[in-house]
């Protein structure tokens, strides 16, 4: 009897142990399955992140090829962004490694984008071939479509292109691109070079110059605002109907004192007379500062006076006629932070008395859709492989 009870107790213990062991195995299996599912989900999410990062890298490469001045590292004038490692800050882990190489055809590039989500060694690679139209390129900060003249009052802090003979009395802190030698007693710091496809730019004439009577801005089409004058203290700027701030005047326009234009000034059908001081034009990105289709005059006082006559333009200025001056130039200057193009055979008068200074402002010379004969900047994907 006692032996039977002991046998039953032993069997019960074995059953309990077996059940507990089975339960432990089932529990371990369930935990392992859950862990594997979690790991699979994590790997899947990381793989998706790597894919997205690689795809984004191709998009970024295209953007930086079209907009080299916005690239995360400096790009030499006329060069291209060749890639590097891009991170997105603490709120977006991971990185993209870009390698960009030019191909034999002008404007074609190969992009290799490696997206890394930031955990483990997981990575995804996307390879693309793209064609880039850089748009209008300003290669010299002063350009003459024909013969050029720079007076003794001028200082050019960069290169000058003259499609004809250049008469230089100025200081040029750069080189001259011209098919002919330069005349005059001025300084050319880096000498005269023959024009090539690499260093020569197109200078739009009246037939190819964009009118800006209507324009495209951030996907919308807008019309320039016609103004009636620029009296003392005028301030003009963007509005919902004119978001780039393009202002147009037909006839001879007089710019008096303290005029501020946050946008673009277009003068056609007459001259521009600068008859006051403290005048500033700052265009929207991708737009010229001023288009003057006829002459630009600096009108000084007839009697000795400290009354200023000046204009500062922070962008590209296109002139179709001459830059001239009258009166006493005791306190007169034209300061251009961008570029100065004479696109209709225009020039600077040899006796121009105001101080003329032209300096590079690369940020205001990018994506200028100023020449209708040049395709606007764009990047087209020719092939894509993941």
């Amino acid at each position: 009897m006692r032996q039977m009870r002991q046998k039953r107790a032993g069997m019960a213990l074995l059953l309990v142990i077996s059940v507990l062991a089975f339960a432990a195995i089932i529990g371990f299996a369930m935990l392992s399955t859950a862990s594997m599912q979690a790991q699979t989900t994590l790997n899947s999410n990381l793989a998706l992140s790597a894919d997205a990062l690689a795809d984004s890298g191709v998009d970024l490469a295209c953007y930086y090829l079209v907009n080299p001045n916005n690239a995360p590292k400096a790009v030499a004038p006329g060069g291209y962004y060749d890639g590097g490692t891009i991170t997105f800050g603490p709120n977006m882990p991971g990185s993209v490694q870009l390698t960009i190489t030019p191909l034999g055809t002008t404007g074609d590039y190969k992009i290799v984008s490696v997206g890394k989500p930031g955990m483990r060694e997981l990575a995804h690679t996307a390879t693309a071939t793209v064609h880039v139209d850089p748009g209008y390129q300003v290669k010299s900060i002063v350009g003459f479509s024909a013969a050029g003249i720079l007076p003794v009052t001028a200082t050019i802090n960069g290169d000058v292109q003259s499609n004809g003979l250049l008469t230089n009395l100025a200081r040029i802190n750069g080189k001259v691109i011209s098919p002919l030698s330069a005349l005059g007693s001025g300084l050319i710091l880096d000498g005269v070079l023959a024009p090539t496809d690499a260093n020569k730019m197109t200078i739009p004439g009246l037939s190819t110059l964009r009118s800006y009577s209507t324009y495209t801005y951030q996907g919308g089409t807008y019309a320039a605002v016609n103004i009636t004058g620029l009296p003392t203290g005028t301030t003009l700027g963007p509005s919902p109907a004119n978001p780039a701030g393009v202002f147009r005047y037909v006839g001879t326009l007089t710019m008096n004192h303290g005029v501020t234009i946050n946008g673009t000034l277009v003068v056609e059908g007459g001259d521009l007379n600068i008859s006051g001081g403290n005048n500033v034009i700052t265009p929207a990105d991708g737009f010229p500062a001023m288009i003057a289709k006829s002459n630009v005059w600096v009108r000084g006082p007839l009697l000795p006076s400290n009354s200023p006559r000046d204009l500062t333009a922070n962008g590209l200025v296109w002139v179709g006629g001459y830059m001239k001056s009258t009166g006493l130039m005791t306190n007169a200057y034209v300061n251009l932070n961008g570029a100065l193009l004479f696109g209709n055979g225009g020039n600077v008068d040899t006796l121009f008395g105001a101080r003329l200074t032209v300096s590079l402002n690369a940020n205001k010379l990018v994506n200028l859709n100023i020449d209708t004969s040049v395709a606007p900047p764009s990047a087209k994907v020719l092939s894509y492989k993941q």
Side-chain angles (χ1 to χ4, degrees), residues 9 11 66 68 74 80 97 125 143 173 215 358:
M11 291 179 64
V66 175
Y80 69 96
Q97 178 66 43
T125 300
N173 295 316
Y215 64 91
V358 185

Side-chain angles (χ1 to χ4, degrees), residues 5-19:
R5 288 175 182 169
Q6 289 177 345
K7 288 181 180 181
R8 289 175 181 172
M11 291 179 64
L13 181 60
L14 287 173
L15 288 172
V16 170
I17 293 173
S18 298
V19 169

Side-chain angles (χ1 to χ4, degrees), residues 64-65 67-77 79-86 97-100 363:
Y64 291 141
L65 285 171
N67 301 277
N69 282 4
N70 294 335
K73 64 182 181 182
V75 177
Y80 69 96
Y81 174 64
D82 61 0
T85 300
I86 298 175
Q97 178 66 43
L98 291 175
T99 303
I100 303 172
N363 291 332

Side-chain angles (χ1 to χ4, degrees), residues 143-148 203-206 318-322 341-348:
F144 299 96
S145 62
I203 300 175
L206 284 173
W318 187 98
V319 178
Y322 269 70
L341 302 182
F342 292 89
N344 192 37
N347 227 314
V348 187

Side-chain angles (χ1 to χ4, degrees), residues 31-360:
L31 288 173
S32 296
T33 300
S35 177
M36 290 179 63
Q37 288 178 343
Q39 188 62 46
T40 300
T41 300
L42 177 60
N43 288 339
S44 178
N45 290 337
L46 290 174
L48 289 173
S49 295
D51 290 348
L53 286 167
D55 292 341
S56 297
V58 173
D59 293 337
L60 283 171
C62 291
Y63 175 77
Y64 291 141
L65 285 171
V66 175
N67 301 277
N69 282 4
N70 294 335
K73 64 182 181 182
V75 177
Y80 69 96
Y81 174 64
D82 61 0
T85 300
I86 298 175
T87 57
F88 305 95
N91 295 325
M92 186 179 291
S95 64
V96 173
Q97 178 66 43
L98 291 175
T99 303
I100 303 172
T101 53
L103 301 177
T105 305
T106 302
D108 287 358
Y109 296 85
K110 179 182 179 182
I111 301 171
V112 178
S113 173
V114 180
K116 297 181 179 180
M119 297 180 65
R120 305 179 184 178
E121 297 301 320
L122 187 63
H124 179 79
T125 300
T127 304
T129 302
V130 300
H131 177 75
V132 176
D133 283 318
Y136 184 77
Q137 298 291 297
V138 178
K139 298 180 181 179
S140 296
I141 63 172
V142 174
F144 299 96
S145 62
I149 298 172
L150 288 172
V152 69
T153 55
T155 300
I156 312 302
N157 296 311
D159 297 341
V160 175
Q161 176 179 317
S162 181
N163 292 348
L165 180 66
L166 176 67
T167 301
N168 179 48
L169 305 175
R171 179 184 178 92
I172 300 175
N173 295 316
K175 57 183 174 291
V176 170
I177 310 299
S178 178
L180 303 170
S181 298
L183 298 178
S185 57
L187 172 69
I188 303 175
L189 192 63
D190 296 328
V192 179
L193 298 180
T196 66
D197 290 340
N199 64 24
K200 184 180 179 181
M201 63 183 177
T202 61
I203 300 175
L206 284 173
S207 62
T208 61
L209 179 69
R210 190 167 298 281
S211 70
Y212 290 99
S213 57
T214 61
Y215 64 91
T216 301
Y217 182 75
Q218 295 183 353
T221 300
Y222 304 92
V225 171
N226 292 319
I227 59 175
T228 58
L230 292 175
T232 296
T234 298
T235 297
L236 300 174
S239 65
N242 185 21
V246 180
F247 300 96
R248 179 172 173 264
Y249 187 90
V250 179
T252 296
L253 174 64
T254 296
M255 177 182 288
N256 289 288
H257 295 277
V259 173
T260 299
I261 300 176
N262 295 310
T264 298
L265 176 64
V266 179
V267 183
E268 51 189 321
D271 295 343
L272 171 65
N273 294 318
I274 301 171
S275 299
N278 301 314
N279 301 305
V280 180
I281 303 175
T282 303
D285 291 346
F287 287 78
M290 186 173 75
I291 293 174
K293 294 186 178 180
S294 297
N295 300 312
V296 175
W297 290 85
V298 179
R299 302 284 189 182
L302 298 179
L303 298 176
S305 171
N306 287 326
S307 180
R309 302 289 192 269
D310 61 72
L311 171 65
T312 296
N314 298 308
L316 182 142
V317 171
W318 187 98
V319 178
Y322 269 70
M323 293 188 70
K324 301 182 177 183
S325 64
T326 61
L328 297 175
M329 296 287 104
T330 56
N331 190 11
Y333 64 83
V334 176
N335 186 21
L336 307 181
N337 299 311
L340 172 61
L341 302 182
F342 292 89
N344 192 37
N347 227 314
V348 187
D349 189 84
T350 306
L351 299 178
F352 186 73
R355 287 178 289 117
L356 172 63
T357 305
V358 185
S359 302
L360 177 66

